[in-house]
Amino acid sequence: MVEIEAPAKAILLGEHAVVYGKPALAVAIDLPLRMRLLPAEGWRLDQEEFQPRRRGYIAAALERAWQGGPLAMTIRSSIPPASGLGSSAAVTCATLAGAMTLAARTWDSRALASSAFDVEWAVQGAASPTDTSTIAHGGGILLRPAGSESSPLIDGHRSPLWELSRGARAWEVSAIEVPRLSLVVGNTGVKGRTTDLVAAVRARTEQDAAARAAIERIGALTMEGTEALLRGDLATLGQLMAEDHALLRSLGVSHPALEALVSGAAPVSLGAKLTGAGGGGSIIALTDDVERTAHAIVKAGGMPYVVEVDRQGTRVVGEAP
Ligand code: MEV
């Protein structure tokens, strides 16, 4: 038996633009998913027959990492599904880590991030390695186009981790030192479909110069926001999150329920924006008063989660012969 824990993730700046090779800043957050895997007589998931067609991420992860016999798997997750918080990447990382551990293969967060990105790409189509790398490694993660110029401030606070590429795109993934942040997630309860939202943004950028300009500006403000974070200038980071939200709205990936939560949280936060693919899902608010922000999210019809940055990433939490 092996038991794996994987965190959720929140993108602070740069979603959607990162698919086009722009930078993104994300943190792993302490909403854990726990998965147990145990050799068994037949394939099971949560006491029921495992249906690979209905659980594409798990099936694709097992295809890559498990050559053994049937497994009984159980998942306990505090990550709301299809909420922009990385539930698919967490289940992918947990399945891969569990299968590799059961097969007595050594693995580290680099190997996990690489395989998890392969799985996400196979199941979801166009994607960046943001979610999978953040959940595999934990802490703060900065993605940038490989070979891009850096600033002394960013270079002084980042540790290069790995590079991942797909077609013409290559991303350099770094761990970035993130101070303690007061963050509140607000979930709308409306499910967003990442594949459709990424495809909608692609169609828009192909037809509309304003959409291409929005992607460029998101890339630039992500670097400005990362520098602000590293200077400890959370007021500027919050303003840039608000600007990022307005640009994402202009790209068509917001939703009335997201607008309600951002409007409710913004007056009592340093900044609030949708996080992840949008179309429903969640907002993330940076605040200096988590209780007021959480209360504002409830008043606006959302479910608040006061979260901390998870610094451990995906890990084995239990093992028995
Ligand atoms: C999804 O969490 C973030 C997107 O940028 C897609 C991706 O990066 O794969 C919308």
Side-chain angles (χ1 to χ4, degrees):
M1 183 284 291
V2 62
E3 187 166 356
I4 306 291
E5 187 167 305
K9 69 93 204 354
I11 298 179
L12 297 181
L13 294 168
E15 51 273 271
H16 284 290
V18 69
V19 175
Y20 304 91
K22 304 294 175 207
L25 176 66
V27 287
I29 55 174
D30 62 347
L31 293 176
L33 173 144
R34 278 201 176 204
M35 183 168 186
R36 261 181 196 220
L37 301 92
L38 178 74
E41 303 269 293
W43 284 98
R44 314 283 293 167
L45 176 61
D46 291 334
Q47 329 305 341
E48 292 181 1
E49 191 187 335
F50 173 52
Q51 298 186 359
R53 281 158 150 252
R54 296 185 56 192
R55 302 304 300 253
Y57 290 95
I58 298 176
L62 289 169
E63 215 170 87
R64 276 163 183 76
W66 182 245
Q67 274 83 45
L71 298 173
M73 302 172 283
T74 52
I75 296 175
R76 296 282 165 273
S77 180
S78 43
I79 314 175
S83 61
L85 302 174
S87 62
S88 307
V91 84
T92 300
C93 283
T95 309
L96 288 166
M100 289 190 284
T101 307
L102 269 185
R105 277 171 53 199
T106 49
W107 57 273
D108 57 12
S109 52
R110 171 196 295 258
L112 185 59
S114 171
S115 299
F117 182 43
D118 288 347
V119 168
E120 201 164 77
W121 189 276
V123 178
Q124 176 182 310
S128 79
T130 312
D131 296 12
T132 40
S133 282
T134 305
I135 285 172
H137 186 270
I141 294 289
L142 177 67
L143 275 91
R144 298 183 315 171
S148 54
E149 277 189 19
S150 199
S151 73
L153 179 62
I154 290 180
D155 278 346
H157 290 82
R158 81 179 177 106
S159 315
L161 293 175
W162 49 74
E163 277 191 25
L164 291 166
S165 60
R166 256 328 157 273
R169 301 230 178 278
W171 295 267
E172 167 203 271
V173 182
S174 302
I176 193 126
E177 289 166 24
V178 177
R180 200 161 174 275
L181 295 173
S182 296
L183 295 170
V184 186
V185 166
N187 182 21
T188 61
V190 178
K191 294 187 177 176
R193 263 183 64 88
T194 301
T195 314
D196 298 346
L197 291 152
V198 169
V201 171
R202 175 166 309 280
R204 217 153 167 141
T205 55
E206 280 166 4
Q207 288 156 14
D208 181 1
R212 291 193 289 279
I215 296 282
E216 288 300 320
R217 176 61 193 142
I218 292 173
L221 71 76
T222 298
M223 296 312 288
E224 289 167 31
T226 303
E227 298 218 336
L229 172 76
L230 295 175
R231 286 196 309 274
D233 180 358
L234 299 185
T236 299
L237 174 58
Q239 282 163 16
L240 290 164
M241 288 168 68
E243 184 185 347
D244 194 6
H245 179 74
L247 291 162
L248 290 164
R249 187 202 301 127
S250 80
L251 288 170
V253 296
S254 193
H255 182 281
L258 284 170
E259 290 305 310
L261 296 199
V262 167
S263 302
V268 290
S269 304
L270 299 168
K273 61 179 275 290
L274 71 84
T275 188
S282 304
I283 68 154
I284 180 90
L286 175 68
T287 179
D288 45 22
D289 188 339
V290 290
E291 279 179 23
R292 273 182 87 196
T293 302
H295 184 67
I297 287 170
V298 173
K299 249 181 106 183
M303 169 68 92
Y305 299 83
V306 176
V307 295
E308 297 278 336
V309 174
D310 166 279
R311 311 236 171 220
Q312 293 175 284
T314 302
R315 56 206 178 266
V316 179
V317 289
E319 222 174 333

